[in-house]
Amino acid sequence: MEKTAVLLLQMGGPDALSAVHPFLLNLFSDREIIKIGPAWLQPLIARLIVKRRTPAVVEKYREIGGKSPIRELTQAQADALSAELGLPCFPAMRYWQPFTAQALTQARQSGATRIVALSLYPHYSRATSGSSFNDLDRQLAASGLQLDVVRIPHFYDHPLYIQALAEKVEAGIAGFADRSQVQLLFSAHSLPQSFIDEGDPYLEHIQSTVRLVMERFSDVSHHLAFQSRAGPVKWLEPSTDDMLKQLAARGCKNLLVVPLSFVSDHIETLHEIDIEYAEEASKLGISTFRRIESLNDSPTFISCLAELVRSAMKHS
C-alpha cells in the first residue's frame, strides 16, 4: 500500500531582513509570474529591479517584525492538517525556504511513495499555482525520485473554504456597532490583464468566491478590488487604493476588508492593508477601517484542506 505525504505549495517569504534581497530576486526571475523583457535578459533586469526595490521592501518587513510570518503559519497549517489526516505534511515554498526540493526530501525520508501536492492558492493562476506545480515537476525530475503525484490546483468554491471565510467575515462584522452601516471590500492580489485575456481562470475564480460568500451576507454592501500591482503593464481593476477613494467619496465610514487569495498573514495583509491602506482610509475620512482575521490555522479551513486531500486520494 502506498504511503502518502502532503506538500503544501505556497509562495514563501523572507525569514529575516537579510533574506529580502534573495527572495525578491527569486520572485522577479520567475517568468511564470512576471515576464520582463526577453528571457535571456530577465536575470539581469531582475537584478537591477531588486537592487532598487530592496531598501524600501526591507523597511516594510522591519515594520512588521523583521520577517514574513508565512513560514511559521504554513508550518502550523501543515501540523494541524497532519494531525487531522494522520499523514506527514510539509510546506513547499516557491521563492524561499523551505523550497520544494527540501520538502520533497522530507517526504521521501518519511517513506512516502505518493505525494499529494495541495496548492494553498485558492484561486488558480498560472502565475501562482501553475508556477508552483511546474517547479515541483522540475524538482522531481532533477531528484530522480519515483513518486506518484496527485495535484489539487484550487479550492475557490469548496463549501468549507467558503464557510471558513464567512466565519471570519461574520466575526469582523460583529465588531461594528451597526452592521447595516458596514461595507465589505474584498481585496484580491492583482494579476496582469493580459493573463486573463489569454484564458487564465483567476478572475472567474475570484468572482465565484465573492458571490458564494455574499450569499450568506445579503444584508451587507460589498465591493471587489485588486492590490499588490508591480510593473508598468495593465493590471486588473479597480485597484484597492482607487476603490478606497471611490468609497470615501460616496460617504463610506465603516469598512471591513476581506483579503482574498491569501490564506495566511504576510506582507500584503500585515503591511499593505493594515498599515498602508489603513493610513490612506483615515486620510480619506473613512473613520473605521478594519480587516478580517486571515484564515491561518482556522479549524474550518484545516477541515477544508483535509477534505480536499481525502477526496484527491480517493479519486486518484
Side-chain angles (χ1 to χ4, degrees):
M1 186 173 180
E2 286 189 304
K3 183 173 181 180
T4 301
V6 180
L7 298 192
L8 297 181
L9 308 185
Q10 180 58 285
M11 180 177 187
D15 50 12
L17 293 180
S18 60
V20 171
H21 183 275
F23 166 77
L24 290 176
L25 191 58
N26 289 337
L27 181 70
F28 279 94
S29 298
D30 180 9
R31 287 183 69 78
E32 289 166 324
I33 194 170
I34 183 170
K35 291 184 178 180
I36 314 170
W40 64 271
L41 194 55
Q42 179 147 342
L44 174 60
I45 299 175
R47 286 196 293 272
L48 294 173
I49 292 173
V50 170
K51 182 179 180 180
R52 185 177 71 248
R53 290 173 62 98
T54 293
V57 178
V58 164
E59 287 308 307
K60 291 182 179 182
Y61 276 106
R62 196 188 306 278
E63 291 180 31
I64 63 170
K67 65 176 184 177
S68 170
I70 198 167
R71 178 172 184 167
E72 291 84 357
L73 292 172
T74 308
Q75 186 62 58
Q77 291 167 337
D79 292 344
L81 183 59
S82 180
E84 183 152 342
L85 290 172
L87 298 174
C89 301
F90 306 106
M93 302 299 196
R94 182 66 184 89
Y95 302 113
W96 199 242
Q97 301 176 17
F99 292 111
T100 304
Q102 295 169 280
L104 281 173
T105 298
Q106 289 181 297
R108 195 67 186 95
Q109 290 172 345
S110 75
T113 56
R114 176 172 64 170
I115 296 293
V116 176
L118 170 54
S119 171
L120 288 181
Y121 303 100
H123 315 87
Y124 182 88
S125 171
R126 72 173 196 251
T128 51
S129 301
S131 180
S132 289
F133 284 122
N134 289 340
D135 183 50
L136 174 61
D137 290 339
R138 287 191 295 268
Q139 300 306 324
L140 276 169
S143 71
L145 294 174
Q146 300 299 312
L147 297 171
D148 293 331
V149 180
V150 180
R151 302 165 197 266
I152 304 174
H154 55 70
F155 49 90
Y156 65 94
D157 58 352
H158 193 282
L160 286 174
Y161 170 60
I162 300 303
Q163 182 179 332
L165 273 177
E167 288 172 358
K168 296 297 186 181
V169 171
E170 184 57 50
I173 292 175
F176 291 84
D178 184 355
R179 70 185 287 133
S180 68
Q181 298 300 310
V182 180
Q183 297 192 49
L184 299 180
L185 175 55
F186 290 88
S187 186
H189 199 292
S190 197
L191 195 70
Q193 180 64 46
S194 62
F195 281 50
I196 307 302
D197 296 341
E198 294 165 4
D200 196 289
Y202 177 77
L203 178 58
E204 180 183 342
H205 288 186
I206 288 286
Q207 292 169 333
S208 294
T209 295
V210 173
R211 175 180 55 79
L212 290 168
V213 170
M214 289 311 301
E215 286 177 357
R216 307 182 183 211
F217 298 96
S218 58
D219 59 334
V220 182
S221 298
H222 75 282
H223 315 273
L224 172 61
F226 300 90
Q227 65 179 91
S228 309
R229 296 174 296 179
V233 300
K234 179 176 175 58
W235 292 79
L236 292 175
E237 296 179 341
S239 65
T240 299
D241 45 357
D242 284 345
M243 180 57 73
L244 289 176
K245 295 181 179 72
Q246 293 178 32
L247 292 174
R250 298 175 204 162
C252 174
K253 297 297 182 184
N254 299 291
L255 190 62
L256 180 63
V257 179
V258 182
L260 283 183
S261 54
F262 312 116
V263 298
S264 54
D265 279 316
H266 56 308
I267 196 167
E268 279 89 349
T269 58
L270 299 173
H271 198 281
E272 192 169 10
I273 295 176
D274 292 354
I275 296 177
E276 297 170 44
Y277 290 149
E279 290 177 355
E280 179 67 13
S282 179
K283 292 176 184 176
L284 291 168
I286 298 173
S287 53
T288 307
F289 177 95
R290 296 175 184 165
R291 171 176 66 85
I292 69 164
E293 291 183 352
S294 295
L295 294 179
N296 294 328
D297 59 353
S298 146
T300 305
F301 179 56
I302 299 302
S303 293
C304 170
L305 299 182
E307 189 172 299
L308 287 164
V309 173
R310 291 191 188 103
S311 178
M313 291 171 60
K314 180 179 178 181
H315 293 101
S316 66

